[in-house]
């Protein structure tokens, strides 16, 4: 096993060099030989969390392992450009949820762009471009007249037009990364530009076009994390939900009013805070969830019910560790991670007033 690059993953009160190495090795231990990264061995894989874990591996310099994760996606993409929502232990022949979710499918573009920036591997970009292209086309086939993206296709192919704010925000980031990939290949995609502009406008100006999930912290911070809401508007959004979702000393609630904080949401909030220049508060959030760290594996428990002082559920998830590593990498100045989440080299100015 290689020794991960951890110099930019060392953060006071969060990770020492030894702890960072243990976390990366814990994540590598979850990955199957074929490249699949399930939540943990014996549990399911979903394409979004698989990609987030691959990005964390790239942030640690484990580029070969990350490339195998993307090769798994390329090999097992459905003919329509999608992936299924869940595969038992990452086994492509054992699908446990045949729905095809748009944000799950779109996120490959974020991962591929991140890997390209981390490695400069033009051959990888050439190999993965057809996968990204097909995924984007699948997603945009479910875009609604108001700009928002329908949630999924049911197993029988029926489209679900209802849109999720978190999912559509994630797709906004993915479309911008897909456009950056297209630009790198000198293959402009004007229809994608129009689509991401309409989507950003819906996220910023038309909350009524999305299902009401405002009890969930992801709907609070994800428009900021994904770059759909920025500047003073982003700062105002973060401030408006802070007391509702942040539990000092414990982390971020997944959903109010439940007394349950989760490591994944906490790390993603830290990453969102970093994008708006609030690195000190990002650090405080990451420090607050170290009670979730398992010292034996280097991984992190999914969540903690602070009212009962109990870990729940009792599972050490790859994506929780992945989210934390990406947040630490951004704070540590890892170039590819910073570029993807700060929006460097991604298109701006694509808002679409025509969709008012």
């Amino acid at each position: 096993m290689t020794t991960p690059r951890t110099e930019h993953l060392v953060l006071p009160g969060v990770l020492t060099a030894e702890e960072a190495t243990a976390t990366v090795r814990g994540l590598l231990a979850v990955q199957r030989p074929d490249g699949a990264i399930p939540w943990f061995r014996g549990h399911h894989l979903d394409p979004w969390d698989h990609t987030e874990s691959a990005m964390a591996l790239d942030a640690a310099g484990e580029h070969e392992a990350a490339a195998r994760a993307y090769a798994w996606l390329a090999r097992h993409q459905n003919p329509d450009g999608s992936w299924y929502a869940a595969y038992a232990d990452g086994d492509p022949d054992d699908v446990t949820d045949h729905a095809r979710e748009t944000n799950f499918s779109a996120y490959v573009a974020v991962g591929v762009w991140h890997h390209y920036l981390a490695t400069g591997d033009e051959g990888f970009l050439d190999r993965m471009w057809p996968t990204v292209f097909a995924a984007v086309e699948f997603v945009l086939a479910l875009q609604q007249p108001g700009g928002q993206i329908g949630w999924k296709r049911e197993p029988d192919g029926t489209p679900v037009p209802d849109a999720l704010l978190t999912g559509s925000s994630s797709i906004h980031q993915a479309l911008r990364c897909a456009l950056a990939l297209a630009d790198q290949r000198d293959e402009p995609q004007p229809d994608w530009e129009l689509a991401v502009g309409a989507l950003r406008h819906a996220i910023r100006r038309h909350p009524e076009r999305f299902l009401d999930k405002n009890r969930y912290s992801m709907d609070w911070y994800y428009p900021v994390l994904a770059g759909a809401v920025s500047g003073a508007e982003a700062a105002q959004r973060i401030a408006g939900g802070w007391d509702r979702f942040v539990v000092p000393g414990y982390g971020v609630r997944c959903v109010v009013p439940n007394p349950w904080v989760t490591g994944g949401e906490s790390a993603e909030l830290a990453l969102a805070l970093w994008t708006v220049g609030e690195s000190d508060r990002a650090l405080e959030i990451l420090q607050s969830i170290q009670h979730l760290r398992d010292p034996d594996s280097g991984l992190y428990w999914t969540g903690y019910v602070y009212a009962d002082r109990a870990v729940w559920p009792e599972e050490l998830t790859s994506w929780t560790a992945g989210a934390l590593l990406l947040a630490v990498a951004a704070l540590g100045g890892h170039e590819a991670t910073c570029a993807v989440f700060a929006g460097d080299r991604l298109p701006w100015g694509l808002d679409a007033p025509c969709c008012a």
Side-chain angles (χ1 to χ4, degrees):
M1 181 177 289
T2 61
T3 300
R5 291 181 51 214
T6 58
E7 60 271 14
H8 56 283
L9 298 177
V10 175
L11 198 59
V14 181
L15 290 176
T16 64
E18 293 77 14
E19 288 170 338
T21 297
T23 298
V24 176
R25 286 180 172 166
L27 194 53
L28 287 167
V30 177
Q31 187 175 33
R32 290 165 37 121
D34 65 356
I37 310 176
W39 284 21
F40 51 88
R41 292 310 303 268
H43 199 51
H44 76 254
L45 173 152
D46 75 71
W48 198 103
D49 289 310
H50 167 91
T51 299
E52 182 174 51
S53 295
M55 292 171 65
L57 291 176
D58 265 325
E62 294 290 338
H63 303 311
E64 188 276 334
R68 287 192 291 114
Y70 294 118
W72 186 95
L73 289 172
R75 286 196 306 273
H76 303 301
Q77 188 175 33
N78 292 321
D80 66 356
S82 69
W83 289 270
Y84 295 121
Y87 302 80
D89 197 36
D91 183 349
D93 297 320
D94 191 359
V95 178
T96 56
D97 186 345
H98 283 84
R100 289 162 283 159
E101 299 194 20
T102 48
N103 69 302
F104 280 13
S105 296
Y107 207 59
V108 64
V110 182
V112 168
W113 181 237
H114 182 258
H115 184 84
Y116 174 72
L117 292 178
T119 64
D121 187 343
E122 295 283 352
F124 169 83
L125 192 157
D126 291 341
R127 292 191 300 274
M128 290 301 300
W129 173 246
T131 300
V132 172
F133 186 92
V136 170
E137 291 294 298
F138 166 77
V139 169
L140 293 184
L142 275 78
Q143 187 164 35
Q144 304 303 301
Q148 71 275 23
I149 307 292
W151 178 6
K152 61 183 177 180
R153 287 191 183 275
E154 297 286 14
D156 66 0
T158 302
V160 177
D162 294 332
L164 302 173
L165 179 59
T166 294
S168 284
S169 297
S170 177
I171 292 168
H172 173 271
Q173 182 187 25
L175 291 176
R176 292 175 67 212
C177 290
L179 283 167
L181 288 163
D183 183 65
Q184 185 66 31
R185 291 179 53 83
D186 197 24
E187 295 187 29
Q189 302 294 327
D191 289 345
W192 296 3
E193 294 182 10
L194 293 173
V196 72
L199 176 57
R200 181 169 183 257
H201 182 81
I203 292 168
R204 294 178 63 212
R205 299 291 177 253
H206 290 283
E208 77 282 357
R209 294 177 183 169
F210 301 90
L211 293 175
D212 184 1
K213 301 284 186 180
N214 68 9
R215 293 173 55 238
Y216 290 81
S217 60
M218 293 181 79
D219 266 23
W220 163 50
Y221 65 75
Y222 227 93
V224 176
L225 174 59
V229 175
S230 56
E233 189 177 350
Q236 183 178 12
R237 186 179 187 92
I238 293 296
W242 189 268
D243 292 338
R244 189 172 182 228
F245 290 110
V246 176
V247 183
Y250 288 102
V252 176
R253 293 177 192 254
C254 176
V255 57
V256 295
N258 298 355
W260 181 48
V261 295
T262 50
E265 275 83 349
S266 299
E268 288 181 341
L269 174 63
L271 193 48
L273 290 166
W274 174 82
T275 69
V276 295
E278 298 216 24
S279 294
D280 289 345
R281 285 213 287 182
L283 175 59
E284 290 175 5
I285 292 292
L286 293 175
Q287 290 171 336
S288 76
I289 59 170
Q290 293 315 300
H291 62 95
L292 295 175
R293 183 178 177 85
D294 173 49
D296 294 328
S297 66
L299 299 176
Y300 290 77
W301 300 105
T302 297
Y304 183 77
V305 182
Y306 53 86
D308 298 332
R309 299 178 183 270
V311 167
W312 184 83
E314 293 188 11
E315 56 184 32
L316 296 162
T317 40
S318 56
W319 48 267
T320 300
L324 179 127
L325 287 172
L326 287 171
V328 172
L331 285 164
H334 181 253
E335 187 174 351
T337 303
C338 291
V340 166
F341 289 99
D344 297 348
R345 298 179 63 182
L346 297 182
W348 288 100
L350 297 175
D351 207 357
C354 61
C355 300

